[in-house]
Amino acid sequence: YTTAMTVRKQIRFAEQLVSEGFFEQAKDLLIDLLEKDSKNPEVYYVLGDVLSKLLRFDEAILLLQKACQLYPEHPLIHQALGWAFFMNGDLNTGRKWLLQALAGNPDDERVYTDLAALEQKAQRLEKATRYVKQGLRIAPTDVFLLELSHLLHEMIRSKNQVN
């Protein structure tokens, strides 16, 4: 019990480091934690998320896949996997994981943001616009969604002018 509580506190501390931009320190702490508790999906998830923020997507994917093996039904892990695959250039696998995250957590505007960004990158502008609109229904003042909405509007407008 004490060890589990200590691990949980260290994970929270690592998340605090991440929120303050101290990614390398969080990474080092989480790697140490993995040596103590290699069966904790949250450690793998948070470490995978940190490595994504450090743009180390191949490593992030491996850790997030391990988190998913340990906790297969967790939508946040699915979302992080989707984002890592997308950012690593695999749009189809990224889309698959993000849609799974959406199925598990349909009220999370961040999943809609990620899906919209992925579809925008894939030049599927109408689909991206639908995801933005769905996200804005949940979070009408979300800065990322509003910026993406504006970008998509401009892209569609310029595409229509060319055609």
Side-chain angles (χ1 to χ4, degrees):
Y1 172 77
T2 312
T3 306
M5 187 57 95
T6 304
V7 168
R8 199 167 297 117
K9 283 182 183 176
Q10 289 181 300
I11 292 169
R12 297 296 159 257
F13 181 61
E15 290 173 329
Q16 181 65 36
L17 288 170
V18 168
S19 74
E20 295 173 10
F22 297 107
F23 303 125
E24 288 293 335
Q25 294 88 335
K27 175 186 65 85
D28 294 342
L29 173 62
L30 291 162
I31 288 170
D32 288 345
L33 272 179
L34 268 185
E35 292 172 8
K36 296 174 190 163
D37 189 357
S38 65
K39 299 284 188 218
N40 187 322
E42 192 174 10
V43 177
Y44 286 100
Y45 163 70
V46 176
L47 182 55
D49 188 51
V50 168
L51 290 173
S52 279
K53 287 175 173 48
L54 291 169
L55 308 180
R56 292 167 57 179
F57 298 111
D58 288 330
E59 296 166 84
I61 287 167
L62 293 174
L63 289 161
L64 292 165
Q65 286 174 325
K66 179 66 176 174
C68 197
Q69 287 172 357
L70 295 169
Y71 195 169
E73 300 305 317
H74 201 294
L76 290 177
I77 296 170
H78 300 163
Q79 181 182 0
L81 260 171
W83 183 255
F85 274 110
F86 161 46
M87 293 303 292
N88 208 33
D90 186 344
L91 301 186
N92 289 330
T93 305
R95 181 181 297 112
K96 178 190 90 134
W97 282 108
L98 288 170
L99 289 172
Q100 198 166 335
L102 187 61
N105 197 1
D107 297 324
D108 188 342
E109 75 277 0
R110 295 166 304 173
V111 181
Y112 289 106
T113 304
D114 291 354
L115 278 163
L118 183 147
E119 297 302 354
Q120 181 266 329
K121 176 77 172 170
Q123 293 296 310
R124 295 165 63 167
L125 304 181
E126 290 76 19
K127 190 165 220 147
T129 300
R130 283 196 303 273
Y131 285 129
V132 165
K133 286 179 180 174
Q134 289 172 292
L136 285 171
R137 279 192 210 108
I138 297 164
T141 60
D142 183 274
V143 174
F144 295 115
L145 286 167
L146 290 168
E147 287 179 13
L148 198 48
S149 177
H150 179 71
L151 173 67
L152 288 165
H153 178 74
E154 292 299 316
M155 289 176 76
I156 291 168
R157 194 168 59 83
S158 71
K159 181 180 162 188
N160 289 340
Q161 286 176 350
V162 171
N163 295 336

